[in-house]
Amino acid sequence: MSEKRLQEFLETVRSDLDRTVNFWVKHSHDTVNGGFFNCIDKDGKIYDETKHVWLQARQVWMYARLYKEMKRFQKPEILEAAIKGAEFLQKFARNPETYRCYFALTKEGKPVKIQRTIFSECFYLMAMSELGIVTGKQSYKKEALMMMDKIVHWVMEDDTEIGRQSLEGAPPHSSLAVPMMMMGIISQIETMDNSLSNKYSKATDWAVAEVFKHVKVWIIEGSNDGYSERCNEMELLYWRMLVWTAVNSRGSGGRLMTPGHAIEAGWFLLDLASRKNKTELAETAIQTFMINPYNYGWDNQYGGLYYFLDVDGWSPAQLEWDLKLWWPHNEAMISFLMAYKHTKDVKYLDIFARIFDYSYSHFVDKEQGEWYGYLDREGKVKIRSKGGVWKGCFHVPRALMMCEQMLEAMNK
Amino acid sequence: MSEKRLQEFLETVRSDLDRTVNFWVKHSHDTVNGGFFNCIDKDGKIYDETKHVWLQARQVWMYARLYKEMKRFQKPEILEAAIKGAEFLQKFARNPETYRCYFALTKEGKPVKIQRTIFSECFYLMAMSELGIVTGKQSYKKEALMMMDKIVHWVMEDDTEIGRQSLEGAPPHSSLAVPMMMMGIISQIETMDNSLSNKYSKATDWAVAEVFKHVKVWIIEGSNDGYSERCNEMELLYWRMLVWTAVNSRGSGGRLMTPGHAIEAGWFLLDLASRKNKTELAETAIQTFMINPYNYGWDNQYGGLYYFLDVDGWSPAQLEWDLKLWWPHNEAMISFLMAYKHTKDVKYLDIFARIFDYSYSHFVDKEQGEWYGYLDREGKVKIRSKGGVWKGCFHVPRALMMCEQMLEAMNK
């Protein structure tokens, strides 16, 4: 059934990408200070002028990638905005001595906040690297490589410069986000310069091994209230492998699962498996990182993917656990279309269609562009803004671009 | 009308307090390590053994206060549990060198997390002080006074020991929570030793002045979408003064309003005004800190107080903004009953009745005791646990105890 819809999928995704890019071009550019506003209401009004570095850098990356990959976005205004954004980042986001990047800046570029994580730095690297590819300028590429060495050092050798205080009772915590991010930046660096593939092969192996630590076999006892409420007998046989958000962490933290995050890891792994010709890895990527989290994370009553779940069925500590967020649906669209492309098995396209239909009837603003980011469990818009501290010009256009490319190849 | 319900209110609140205290006595005591479990499911099962210091200390305070104030709780098991909790805190929660208190401990007492705020320390002080009053032991009182001097130093003189990094672009931020907490601990210390009232009069004046900085006159422009959606013409004349959560903070942070927090500040101020015979302060406490935030914060469609609002009507940055949390309703019960007691004006008792009715038809678990903490906007239970990182044996029993005492005096 869903195979007959390939042309419809392509056209919908293509016009949505146009609308989305148009939203950011029209409303987010700070023509006075450079960089981008990212706290933007549904209709484009700026409600907060703080500039969040994750989103500044992701928008530079996104513009550069669109410029590079999609003919219709090879326009001077896209490239110029990316360059101005990169200049703003180089001037203000990175501390010139420590190489640490801030988390938030004032619109003029003064530092407001710094985090004790490596994500600002990773997105900074992505921005510099992609712009280096597009412009051919060595200074951007050099900046990306210098940051890469710093991040590898912090992640794999010594994280004291990140500034986390280690306390005796705190369990050695491992977050799925870190190896995933590592896979993302290695792939970025390889795209920039394929001869560096060997240099980072050790880091790649580490990242894949780390991601796999988050797969646990779930021993089903069937004794827990919340568990039996959510599962029926048939399902009991099915949910055997789940991807945990954190490992080694006791209590609620250790039982936390983020379906969207597992599914995102799925296409990172499938992409890696395709590039390196690893059949077994591809199968695991699809079954363990896409299908199982999708089955576990889909809300059968109201549709959509839950944000957080406790794998033993307790109430998660996160008050926002049952919200439907935009980005897990973006990542799931990429994942299941990629699984279909890889296997030609229509069951993955059926799941893509289900996520597509939920998204286009709930998240998408067909008039003003971009997606709403936060729906309540029932699917009503809960936060009406299009951009905020964690949402900018990234997940939606990246997913639409990648889906358009895959669908275009399928429709040929 | 609501005056005829005084006896009903008293009986309901009294039996609810019994049920609530019973819940914590039955399920939370760690008889092996001392201290209390605070991550507890609806039926009493422990789902995480982490011990959160705010809640450990608040439970010690609550038990000691119940023991002191309510004849039926003057039982050895209450006092003994408070003493064991205090011993656990003294042994593990406070760093003996820095006087900083941790935020979370393992069940055995090893430190898991520390915050860059003063709240763990304030609740530690409250626990020591109240237990000092109940037991008469000087060591507890001395501990409370030493902590008091530390906190006054950190808040009013120099906060470098708290460890917040100050960045050039970060606006000088002032949170309503800090002066409120200061009023709370000064009141506690005065209850312990009234002769210290003069010693802290400067700090009291500072706290009241700080709280008043959070009152802003809202210039109504009527131009904002969200604003006009929520207000009608009549209301426009009414909402003139609102209490901001943070001052000096730009953007979303500076526009954030927490109705429950303003209403809680209301009874802190009214209590202070009563004790010090300040008529004008009492009036402001009721009108500006109770009535206005209640009017602004009440959800006319589904009932209950919103958690967060943006005073200009944008979507708040907090994903949980429209949830109905238990504690604002506890604080509002105290506030409006106290306003009625103070003024004898039945309109405040009518509001108390409205909050009472919402709470007893949504939050209260009449079978297993304690209240649910988190409802969705429509009023359905969203997190089924009774205790968690931020919810323990404190707001519910404190409100029920204070309401029972006020209602008892009214029913005489």
Side-chain angles (χ1 to χ4, degrees), chain A residues 41 47-48 106 110-111 113 167-170 250-252 255 313-316 319 321-322 374 378 380 382-384, chain B residues 41 47-48 106 110-111 113 167 169-170 250-252 255 313-316 319 321-322 374 378 380 382-384:
Chain A
D41 207 15
Y47 65 89
D48 190 317
T106 65
K110 287 188 201 142
K113 196 177 164 183
L167 293 170
E168 195 197 344
R250 270 189 296 265
S252 299
R255 291 190 305 265
W314 306 98
S315 279
L319 301 186
W321 72 274
D322 66 353
Y374 306 90
E378 287 79 3
K380 291 191 301 295
K382 193 182 168 87
I383 302 273
R384 70 172 199 219
Chain B
D41 207 14
Y47 65 89
D48 190 317
T106 65
K110 286 189 202 143
K113 195 176 166 187
L167 293 170
R250 272 188 296 264
S252 299
R255 291 191 305 266
W314 306 98
S315 280
L319 301 186
W321 72 274
D322 66 351
Y374 306 90
E378 287 78 4
K380 293 191 300 295
K382 192 182 168 89
I383 302 272
R384 70 170 200 221

Short mmCIF file of all heavy atoms in Angstrom, two decimals, chain A residues 41 47-48 106 110-111 113 167-170 250-252 255 313-316 319 321-322 374 378 380 382-384, chain B residues 41 47-48 106 110-111 113 167 169-170 250-252 255 313-316 319 321-322 374 378 380 382-384:
data_model
loop_
_atom_site.label_atom_id
_atom_site.label_comp_id
_atom_site.label_asym_id
_atom_site.label_seq_id
_atom_site.Cartn_x
_atom_site.Cartn_y
_atom_site.Cartn_z
N ASP A 41 8.48 32.78 17.61
CA ASP A 41 7.09 32.37 17.77
C ASP A 41 6.56 31.74 16.48
O ASP A 41 7.22 31.78 15.43
CB ASP A 41 6.24 33.57 18.18
CG ASP A 41 5.01 33.15 18.98
OD1 ASP A 41 4.97 32.00 19.45
OD2 ASP A 41 4.10 33.99 19.15
N TYR A 47 10.72 36.23 20.41
CA TYR A 47 10.25 36.47 21.78
C TYR A 47 11.38 36.47 22.80
O TYR A 47 11.16 36.74 23.98
CB TYR A 47 9.16 35.45 22.17
CG TYR A 47 9.62 34.02 22.25
CD1 TYR A 47 10.13 33.49 23.44
CD2 TYR A 47 9.55 33.18 21.15
CE1 TYR A 47 10.56 32.18 23.51
CE2 TYR A 47 9.98 31.88 21.21
CZ TYR A 47 10.48 31.38 22.38
OH TYR A 47 10.91 30.08 22.45
N ASP A 48 12.59 36.17 22.37
CA ASP A 48 13.75 36.21 23.27
C ASP A 48 14.97 36.32 22.35
O ASP A 48 15.09 35.56 21.39
CB ASP A 48 13.80 34.93 24.11
CG ASP A 48 14.82 35.00 25.23
OD1 ASP A 48 15.95 35.48 24.98
OD2 ASP A 48 14.51 34.56 26.35
N THR A 106 24.45 36.56 24.42
CA THR A 106 23.53 37.65 24.13
C THR A 106 23.52 37.88 22.61
O THR A 106 24.38 37.37 21.90
CB THR A 106 23.97 38.97 24.80
OG1 THR A 106 25.22 39.37 24.22
CG2 THR A 106 24.15 38.80 26.30
N LYS A 110 27.94 38.33 23.84
CA LYS A 110 28.52 38.15 25.18
C LYS A 110 28.06 36.82 25.79
O LYS A 110 26.90 36.46 25.68
CB LYS A 110 28.09 39.30 26.10
CG LYS A 110 28.78 40.61 25.80
CD LYS A 110 28.46 41.63 26.87
CE LYS A 110 28.67 43.04 26.39
NZ LYS A 110 27.67 43.97 26.90
N PRO A 111 28.98 36.11 26.46
CA PRO A 111 28.60 34.80 27.02
C PRO A 111 27.58 34.91 28.15
O PRO A 111 27.70 35.75 29.04
CB PRO A 111 29.92 34.24 27.55
CG PRO A 111 30.80 35.42 27.76
CD PRO A 111 30.40 36.43 26.72
N LYS A 113 25.95 31.63 29.32
CA LYS A 113 25.91 30.35 30.02
C LYS A 113 26.87 29.37 29.37
O LYS A 113 27.06 29.39 28.16
CB LYS A 113 24.48 29.80 29.92
CG LYS A 113 24.17 28.69 30.92
CD LYS A 113 22.72 28.25 30.80
CE LYS A 113 22.52 26.92 31.49
NZ LYS A 113 21.15 26.41 31.35
N LEU A 167 31.70 12.95 42.41
CA LEU A 167 31.41 12.68 43.81
C LEU A 167 31.40 11.18 44.06
O LEU A 167 31.03 10.39 43.20
CB LEU A 167 30.05 13.28 44.19
CG LEU A 167 29.98 14.81 44.19
CD1 LEU A 167 28.53 15.28 44.33
CD2 LEU A 167 30.82 15.39 45.31
N GLU A 168 31.79 10.83 45.27
CA GLU A 168 32.00 9.43 45.64
C GLU A 168 30.80 8.53 45.36
O GLU A 168 30.95 7.40 44.92
CB GLU A 168 32.33 9.41 47.15
CG GLU A 168 32.91 8.13 47.66
CD GLU A 168 32.80 8.11 49.19
OE1 GLU A 168 32.58 9.18 49.80
OE2 GLU A 168 32.91 7.00 49.75
N GLY A 169 29.60 9.06 45.61
CA GLY A 169 28.41 8.22 45.47
C GLY A 169 27.81 8.20 44.07
O GLY A 169 26.89 7.45 43.79
N ALA A 170 28.32 9.08 43.21
CA ALA A 170 27.75 9.16 41.85
C ALA A 170 28.21 7.97 41.04
O ALA A 170 29.41 7.72 40.90
CB ALA A 170 28.18 10.46 41.19
N ARG A 250 22.20 4.03 38.59
CA ARG A 250 21.21 3.36 39.43
C ARG A 250 19.83 4.01 39.30
O ARG A 250 19.72 5.15 38.91
CB ARG A 250 21.64 3.48 40.90
CG ARG A 250 22.52 2.37 41.40
CD ARG A 250 22.67 2.53 42.91
NE ARG A 250 23.36 3.77 43.22
CZ ARG A 250 24.67 3.87 43.44
NH1 ARG A 250 25.43 2.83 43.34
NH2 ARG A 250 25.21 5.04 43.74
N GLY A 251 18.81 3.30 39.71
CA GLY A 251 17.49 3.89 39.89
C GLY A 251 16.86 4.38 38.60
O GLY A 251 17.12 3.85 37.52
N SER A 252 16.03 5.42 38.73
CA SER A 252 15.27 5.93 37.59
C SER A 252 16.16 6.28 36.42
O SER A 252 15.83 6.00 35.26
CB SER A 252 14.50 7.19 37.99
OG SER A 252 13.59 6.92 39.01
N ARG A 255 17.06 3.39 34.30
CA ARG A 255 15.96 2.71 33.60
C ARG A 255 15.36 3.58 32.50
O ARG A 255 14.40 3.21 31.85
CB ARG A 255 14.84 2.36 34.59
CG ARG A 255 15.19 1.27 35.58
CD ARG A 255 13.95 0.81 36.35
NE ARG A 255 13.27 1.92 37.00
CZ ARG A 255 13.46 2.28 38.26
NH1 ARG A 255 14.30 1.63 39.03
NH2 ARG A 255 12.81 3.31 38.77
N GLY A 313 8.32 0.37 33.73
CA GLY A 313 6.93 0.78 33.83
C GLY A 313 6.59 1.70 34.99
O GLY A 313 5.43 2.00 35.24
N TRP A 314 7.59 2.18 35.75
CA TRP A 314 7.32 3.20 36.77
C TRP A 314 7.04 4.52 36.05
O TRP A 314 7.30 4.66 34.86
CB TRP A 314 8.52 3.39 37.69
CG TRP A 314 9.06 2.17 38.35
CD1 TRP A 314 10.12 1.43 37.94
CD2 TRP A 314 8.56 1.53 39.54
NE1 TRP A 314 10.33 0.38 38.81
CE2 TRP A 314 9.39 0.42 39.80
CE3 TRP A 314 7.52 1.81 40.43
CZ2 TRP A 314 9.20 -0.42 40.89
CZ3 TRP A 314 7.33 0.98 41.52
CH2 TRP A 314 8.15 -0.13 41.74
N SER A 315 6.57 5.51 36.81
CA SER A 315 6.47 6.85 36.25
C SER A 315 7.88 7.40 36.07
O SER A 315 8.65 7.39 37.02
CB SER A 315 5.69 7.78 37.18
OG SER A 315 4.31 7.60 37.04
N PRO A 316 8.23 7.88 34.88
CA PRO A 316 9.55 8.50 34.73
C PRO A 316 9.64 9.75 35.60
O PRO A 316 8.62 10.35 35.93
CB PRO A 316 9.60 8.87 33.24
CG PRO A 316 8.51 8.09 32.58
CD PRO A 316 7.45 7.92 33.62
N LEU A 319 8.83 15.23 33.98
CA LEU A 319 7.42 15.64 33.91
C LEU A 319 6.91 15.63 32.47
O LEU A 319 5.72 15.49 32.24
CB LEU A 319 7.24 17.03 34.51
CG LEU A 319 7.66 17.21 35.97
CD1 LEU A 319 7.29 18.61 36.46
CD2 LEU A 319 7.02 16.16 36.87
N TRP A 321 7.40 13.44 30.17
CA TRP A 321 7.62 12.12 29.58
C TRP A 321 6.63 11.77 28.48
O TRP A 321 7.01 11.14 27.49
CB TRP A 321 7.62 11.03 30.66
CG TRP A 321 6.27 10.74 31.25
CD1 TRP A 321 5.68 11.40 32.29
CD2 TRP A 321 5.34 9.75 30.83
NE1 TRP A 321 4.45 10.88 32.54
CE2 TRP A 321 4.20 9.86 31.67
CE3 TRP A 321 5.35 8.77 29.84
CZ2 TRP A 321 3.09 9.04 31.54
CZ3 TRP A 321 4.23 7.94 29.70
CH2 TRP A 321 3.12 8.08 30.56
N ASP A 322 5.37 12.17 28.61
CA ASP A 322 4.38 11.70 27.63
C ASP A 322 4.13 12.69 26.49
O ASP A 322 3.23 12.47 25.67
CB ASP A 322 3.06 11.30 28.31
CG ASP A 322 2.35 12.49 28.95
OD1 ASP A 322 2.94 13.59 28.99
OD2 ASP A 322 1.20 12.32 29.40
N TYR A 374 6.21 20.76 20.28
CA TYR A 374 5.79 20.09 21.51
C TYR A 374 4.27 19.94 21.53
O TYR A 374 3.55 20.93 21.61
CB TYR A 374 6.25 20.88 22.73
CG TYR A 374 7.74 21.16 22.72
CD1 TYR A 374 8.25 22.33 22.13
CD2 TYR A 374 8.64 20.27 23.29
CE1 TYR A 374 9.61 22.58 22.10
CE2 TYR A 374 10.01 20.53 23.28
CZ TYR A 374 10.49 21.68 22.68
OH TYR A 374 11.84 21.93 22.66
N GLU A 378 -2.23 13.84 23.83
CA GLU A 378 -3.35 13.68 22.91
C GLU A 378 -3.06 14.26 21.54
O GLU A 378 -3.81 14.01 20.60
CB GLU A 378 -4.61 14.33 23.51
CG GLU A 378 -5.23 13.57 24.67
CD GLU A 378 -4.50 13.79 26.00
OE1 GLU A 378 -3.54 14.59 26.02
OE2 GLU A 378 -4.87 13.15 27.00
N LYS A 380 -2.37 17.75 20.91
CA LYS A 380 -2.62 19.20 20.78
C LYS A 380 -1.32 19.98 20.97
O LYS A 380 -0.48 19.61 21.79
CB LYS A 380 -3.63 19.67 21.82
CG LYS A 380 -5.05 19.16 21.61
CD LYS A 380 -6.06 19.87 22.50
CE LYS A 380 -5.79 19.74 23.99
NZ LYS A 380 -5.89 18.38 24.52
N LYS A 382 1.23 22.31 22.46
CA LYS A 382 1.36 22.71 23.85
C LYS A 382 2.27 23.92 23.99
O LYS A 382 2.13 24.72 24.90
CB LYS A 382 1.95 21.53 24.62
CG LYS A 382 1.88 21.63 26.10
CD LYS A 382 2.55 20.40 26.69
CE LYS A 382 2.78 20.56 28.17
NZ LYS A 382 1.63 20.14 28.97
N ILE A 383 3.26 24.01 23.13
CA ILE A 383 4.16 25.16 23.08
C ILE A 383 4.04 25.67 21.65
O ILE A 383 4.33 24.94 20.71
CB ILE A 383 5.62 24.72 23.36
CG1 ILE A 383 5.78 24.03 24.72
CG2 ILE A 383 6.59 25.89 23.18
CD1 ILE A 383 6.03 24.92 25.90
N ARG A 384 3.62 26.92 21.50
CA ARG A 384 3.26 27.35 20.15
C ARG A 384 4.45 27.88 19.35
O ARG A 384 4.34 28.15 18.15
CB ARG A 384 2.16 28.40 20.21
CG ARG A 384 2.63 29.70 20.76
CD ARG A 384 1.59 30.81 20.63
NE ARG A 384 2.28 32.07 20.78
CZ ARG A 384 1.81 33.11 21.42
NH1 ARG A 384 0.61 33.07 21.96
NH2 ARG A 384 2.52 34.22 21.50
N ASP B 41 6.37 5.01 45.02
CA ASP B 41 5.24 4.89 44.09
C ASP B 41 3.91 5.12 44.84
O ASP B 41 3.87 5.20 46.06
CB ASP B 41 5.28 3.50 43.44
CG ASP B 41 4.61 3.51 42.07
OD1 ASP B 41 4.37 4.60 41.52
OD2 ASP B 41 4.31 2.42 41.56
N TYR B 47 10.88 3.05 44.24
CA TYR B 47 11.33 2.80 42.86
C TYR B 47 12.72 3.35 42.59
O TYR B 47 13.29 3.16 41.51
CB TYR B 47 10.33 3.37 41.84
CG TYR B 47 10.16 4.87 41.85
CD1 TYR B 47 10.97 5.69 41.07
CD2 TYR B 47 9.20 5.47 42.65
CE1 TYR B 47 10.83 7.06 41.08
CE2 TYR B 47 9.04 6.84 42.67
CZ TYR B 47 9.86 7.63 41.88
OH TYR B 47 9.72 8.99 41.91
N ASP B 48 13.30 4.04 43.57
CA ASP B 48 14.67 4.57 43.44
C ASP B 48 15.15 4.83 44.86
O ASP B 48 14.44 5.46 45.65
CB ASP B 48 14.65 5.86 42.60
CG ASP B 48 16.04 6.33 42.21
OD1 ASP B 48 16.95 6.30 43.08
OD2 ASP B 48 16.24 6.75 41.05
N THR B 106 23.51 8.51 48.15
CA THR B 106 23.08 7.12 48.03
C THR B 106 22.36 6.74 49.32
O THR B 106 22.44 7.46 50.32
CB THR B 106 24.27 6.16 47.85
OG1 THR B 106 25.07 6.19 49.04
CG2 THR B 106 25.12 6.56 46.66
N LYS B 110 26.52 8.18 50.67
CA LYS B 110 27.60 8.73 49.83
C LYS B 110 27.07 9.83 48.92
O LYS B 110 25.99 9.69 48.35
CB LYS B 110 28.20 7.62 48.97
CG LYS B 110 29.08 6.66 49.74
CD LYS B 110 29.80 5.72 48.77
CE LYS B 110 30.24 4.45 49.45
NZ LYS B 110 30.11 3.28 48.59
N PRO B 111 27.84 10.91 48.74
CA PRO B 111 27.34 12.03 47.94
C PRO B 111 27.21 11.68 46.46
O PRO B 111 28.09 11.06 45.87
CB PRO B 111 28.39 13.13 48.12
CG PRO B 111 29.62 12.41 48.55
CD PRO B 111 29.17 11.20 49.31
N LYS B 113 25.32 14.19 44.24
CA LYS B 113 25.16 15.42 43.48
C LYS B 113 25.18 16.62 44.41
O LYS B 113 24.68 16.54 45.54
CB LYS B 113 23.81 15.35 42.74
CG LYS B 113 23.65 16.38 41.64
CD LYS B 113 22.34 16.19 40.90
CE LYS B 113 22.05 17.41 40.05
NZ LYS B 113 20.72 17.36 39.42
N LEU B 167 29.37 35.04 34.08
CA LEU B 167 29.77 35.33 32.71
C LEU B 167 29.32 36.73 32.32
O LEU B 167 28.28 37.19 32.76
CB LEU B 167 29.18 34.29 31.75
CG LEU B 167 29.71 32.86 31.90
CD1 LEU B 167 28.89 31.90 31.07
CD2 LEU B 167 31.18 32.78 31.49
N GLY B 169 27.95 38.16 29.82
CA GLY B 169 26.65 38.44 29.22
C GLY B 169 25.46 38.05 30.09
O GLY B 169 24.32 38.36 29.74
N ALA B 170 25.72 37.35 31.19
CA ALA B 170 24.61 36.91 32.03
C ALA B 170 24.06 38.08 32.83
O ALA B 170 24.81 38.75 33.54
CB ALA B 170 25.08 35.80 32.97
N ARG B 250 16.69 39.07 31.26
CA ARG B 250 16.12 39.40 29.96
C ARG B 250 15.25 38.26 29.42
O ARG B 250 15.40 37.12 29.83
CB ARG B 250 17.24 39.63 28.94
CG ARG B 250 17.76 41.04 28.88
CD ARG B 250 18.72 41.16 27.72
NE ARG B 250 19.90 40.31 27.93
CZ ARG B 250 21.04 40.74 28.45
NH1 ARG B 250 21.18 41.98 28.82
NH2 ARG B 250 22.06 39.92 28.61
N GLY B 251 14.44 38.55 28.46
CA GLY B 251 13.76 37.52 27.68
C GLY B 251 12.79 36.68 28.49
O GLY B 251 12.21 37.15 29.48
N SER B 252 12.64 35.43 28.06
CA SER B 252 11.65 34.53 28.68
C SER B 252 11.84 34.43 30.20
O SER B 252 10.88 34.42 30.95
CB SER B 252 11.78 33.12 28.10
OG SER B 252 11.53 33.12 26.72
N ARG B 255 10.29 37.19 32.10
CA ARG B 255 8.82 37.29 32.03
C ARG B 255 8.13 36.13 32.73
O ARG B 255 6.91 36.03 32.73
CB ARG B 255 8.37 37.31 30.56
CG ARG B 255 8.72 38.56 29.78
CD ARG B 255 8.01 38.57 28.44
NE ARG B 255 8.27 37.38 27.67
CZ ARG B 255 9.23 37.26 26.75
NH1 ARG B 255 10.01 38.29 26.46
NH2 ARG B 255 9.40 36.13 26.10
N GLY B 313 2.22 36.50 27.61
CA GLY B 313 1.38 35.58 26.84
C GLY B 313 2.09 34.74 25.79
O GLY B 313 1.45 34.06 25.01
N TRP B 314 3.43 34.78 25.74
CA TRP B 314 4.15 33.86 24.85
C TRP B 314 4.08 32.46 25.46
O TRP B 314 3.70 32.29 26.62
CB TRP B 314 5.63 34.25 24.73
CG TRP B 314 5.90 35.65 24.32
CD1 TRP B 314 6.21 36.69 25.15
CD2 TRP B 314 5.91 36.19 22.98
NE1 TRP B 314 6.42 37.84 24.41
CE2 TRP B 314 6.23 37.56 23.08
CE3 TRP B 314 5.68 35.65 21.73
CZ2 TRP B 314 6.33 38.39 21.97
CZ3 TRP B 314 5.77 36.48 20.62
CH2 TRP B 314 6.09 37.83 20.74
N SER B 315 4.49 31.47 24.69
CA SER B 315 4.64 30.14 25.27
C SER B 315 5.83 30.16 26.23
O SER B 315 6.91 30.58 25.84
CB SER B 315 4.91 29.08 24.18
OG SER B 315 3.72 28.71 23.54
N PRO B 316 5.65 29.71 27.47
CA PRO B 316 6.81 29.64 28.37
C PRO B 316 7.82 28.63 27.84
O PRO B 316 7.47 27.71 27.10
CB PRO B 316 6.21 29.16 29.69
CG PRO B 316 4.73 29.37 29.57
CD PRO B 316 4.41 29.25 28.11
N LEU B 319 8.48 23.11 29.40
CA LEU B 319 7.53 22.19 28.76
C LEU B 319 6.38 21.83 29.70
O LEU B 319 5.30 21.47 29.26
CB LEU B 319 8.25 20.91 28.33
CG LEU B 319 9.41 21.07 27.34
CD1 LEU B 319 9.92 19.71 26.91
CD2 LEU B 319 8.99 21.90 26.13
N TRP B 321 4.71 23.75 31.64
CA TRP B 321 4.04 24.98 32.11
C TRP B 321 2.57 24.80 32.46
O TRP B 321 2.09 25.40 33.41
CB TRP B 321 4.20 26.09 31.07
CG TRP B 321 3.38 25.90 29.82
CD1 TRP B 321 3.74 25.20 28.71
CD2 TRP B 321 2.06 26.41 29.56
NE1 TRP B 321 2.73 25.24 27.77
CE2 TRP B 321 1.68 25.97 28.27
CE3 TRP B 321 1.16 27.19 30.29
CZ2 TRP B 321 0.45 26.29 27.70
CZ3 TRP B 321 -0.07 27.50 29.73
CH2 TRP B 321 -0.42 27.05 28.45
N ASP B 322 1.84 23.96 31.74
CA ASP B 322 0.39 23.89 31.99
C ASP B 322 -0.02 22.75 32.92
O ASP B 322 -1.20 22.51 33.12
CB ASP B 322 -0.39 23.82 30.66
CG ASP B 322 -0.13 22.54 29.89
OD1 ASP B 322 0.77 21.77 30.30
OD2 ASP B 322 -0.83 22.30 28.90
N TYR B 374 1.40 15.44 40.17
CA TYR B 374 1.47 16.04 38.83
C TYR B 374 0.29 15.59 37.99
O TYR B 374 0.17 14.42 37.65
CB TYR B 374 2.78 15.63 38.15
CG TYR B 374 4.02 15.95 38.98
CD1 TYR B 374 4.53 15.02 39.88
CD2 TYR B 374 4.65 17.19 38.88
CE1 TYR B 374 5.64 15.31 40.66
CE2 TYR B 374 5.76 17.49 39.65
CZ TYR B 374 6.25 16.54 40.54
OH TYR B 374 7.35 16.83 41.31
N GLU B 378 -5.76 18.93 31.93
CA GLU B 378 -7.16 18.55 32.09
C GLU B 378 -7.45 17.96 33.48
O GLU B 378 -8.60 17.78 33.84
CB GLU B 378 -7.56 17.54 31.01
CG GLU B 378 -7.70 18.13 29.60
CD GLU B 378 -6.37 18.38 28.90
OE1 GLU B 378 -5.31 18.02 29.47
OE2 GLU B 378 -6.37 18.93 27.80
N LYS B 380 -5.90 14.94 34.75
CA LYS B 380 -5.61 13.52 34.92
C LYS B 380 -4.22 13.33 35.54
O LYS B 380 -3.29 14.09 35.23
CB LYS B 380 -5.64 12.80 33.56
CG LYS B 380 -7.02 12.74 32.92
CD LYS B 380 -7.06 11.79 31.72
CE LYS B 380 -6.11 12.16 30.59
NZ LYS B 380 -6.41 13.44 29.92
N LYS B 382 -0.60 12.34 35.90
CA LYS B 382 0.38 12.20 34.83
C LYS B 382 1.62 11.46 35.32
O LYS B 382 2.30 10.79 34.57
CB LYS B 382 0.77 13.60 34.36
CG LYS B 382 1.55 13.67 33.08
CD LYS B 382 1.88 15.13 32.82
CE LYS B 382 2.89 15.25 31.73
NZ LYS B 382 2.26 15.34 30.41
N ILE B 383 1.94 11.67 36.58
CA ILE B 383 3.05 10.95 37.24
C ILE B 383 2.40 10.27 38.43
O ILE B 383 1.82 10.94 39.29
CB ILE B 383 4.12 11.95 37.74
CG1 ILE B 383 4.67 12.81 36.60
CG2 ILE B 383 5.21 11.24 38.54
CD1 ILE B 383 5.84 12.24 35.85
N ARG B 384 2.49 8.95 38.49
CA ARG B 384 1.67 8.27 39.49
C ARG B 384 2.35 8.15 40.85
O ARG B 384 1.73 7.72 41.83
CB ARG B 384 1.25 6.90 38.97
CG ARG B 384 2.40 5.94 38.89
CD ARG B 384 1.97 4.51 38.63
NE ARG B 384 3.04 3.64 39.02
CZ ARG B 384 3.43 2.56 38.33
NH1 ARG B 384 2.79 2.23 37.24
NH2 ARG B 384 4.43 1.83 38.76
#
